Amino acid sequence: MRQVMVAGNWKMNGSSESVKDLMVGIKAGMSAVLNAEVVVCPPAVYIPRVSGAADGSVIKVGAQNICDQDNGAFTGEISGAMLKDVGCDYAIVGHSERRALYGESDELVARRFAAARRNGIKPILCIGETLDERESGVTNQVCARQIDAVIALEGVTALADGVIAYEPIWAIGTGKTASPEQAQQVHAFIRGKITALDADVGAGLRILYGGSMNPSNAAELIGQTDIDGGLIGGASLKADDFLAICQAAN
Ligand code: PGA
């Protein structure tokens, strides 16, 4: 059985005050969240504060990125050991905003995935196609290429240590969600591709959907056979919306 997971990607939003309030709100509603694993990914500077607030609750903390190197002269980067040190269990790698706005290649993302693993952090590997790519019918190829970079570096069994988040770029922050059928098709493709290489890894791998998931569409999306939860951007910034998605995941 794959445990459903709901992860909030707060992106570059918030302040000391607002992250405190958000955590108070989320924690207050957690007793109604029975089955889902709940993760929040704050901006890096707020991770210690959020980890402290999450202490003693079931909420886990993730980073929005992780350096591919372990220490040294890498200005502006944060290592896996540092993230572990401040309480991270997860790290997002290869978010489309990192790929598109900061030029992160499939290979760099794969190295970040590897860095998470060797530091005992579970990577959340984001993949997904642009609108152009979808309209040209290459969605599956794009997702396969992004996954293959990780498999080439780390082997297929490495995927068992992480989570994949399928996030069609045209659905991120646009209010335009993939239909449950569209999402399920790609999720089934991803699982099928991995299962063909390793049946156990394919069966056990959690594949989240991301892209304008909200309280009104979450249950139907997460209800699809191969959708094991969500990576939530905008709706994770409001405690009530985030909790409603967590409850839908039950
Ligand atoms: P969104 O973002 O929910 O605001 O579309 C999802 C994401 O970027 O992870």
Side-chain angles (χ1 to χ4, degrees), residues 16 19 29 34 36 59 63 69 73 90 92 95 103 106 108 130-132 144 179-181 190 240 245-246:
S16 300
V19 302
L34 303 172
I59 303 166
Q69 305 292 322
Y90 283 92
I92 296 171
H95 190 279
D106 294 339
L108 174 57
T130 62
L131 187 57
D132 266 4
S179 69
E181 297 72 30
I190 295 165
D240 289 349
I245 295 172
C246 294

Side-chain angles (χ1 to χ4, degrees), residues 7 9 11 92 95-97 126 167 171-175 210-214 231-236:
N9 173 10
K11 307 193 180 183
I92 296 171
H95 190 279
S96 63
E97 286 149 19
C126 297
E167 300 203 302
I172 294 179
T174 57
S212 300
M213 194 184 268
N214 61 46
L231 180 56
I232 324 297
S236 72

Side-chain angles (χ1 to χ4, degrees), residues 60-100:
K60 293 182 182 148
V61 180
Q64 295 176 15
N65 208 352
I66 179 171
C67 187
D68 61 321
Q69 305 292 322
D70 285 335
N71 57 60
F74 301 98
T75 301
E77 292 284 319
I78 301 174
S79 74
M82 292 170 187
L83 295 175
K84 195 81 196 161
D85 188 30
V86 293
C88 285
D89 285 314
Y90 283 92
I92 296 171
V93 299
H95 190 279
S96 63
E97 286 149 19
R98 299 297 319 170
R99 294 179 189 265

Side-chain angles (χ1 to χ4, degrees), residues 120-137:
I121 290 174
K122 299 182 189 92
I124 301 171
L125 171 68
C126 297
I127 61 171
E129 80 289 0
T130 62
L131 187 57
D132 266 4
E133 288 164 338
R134 170 158 288 263
E135 285 172 348
S136 335

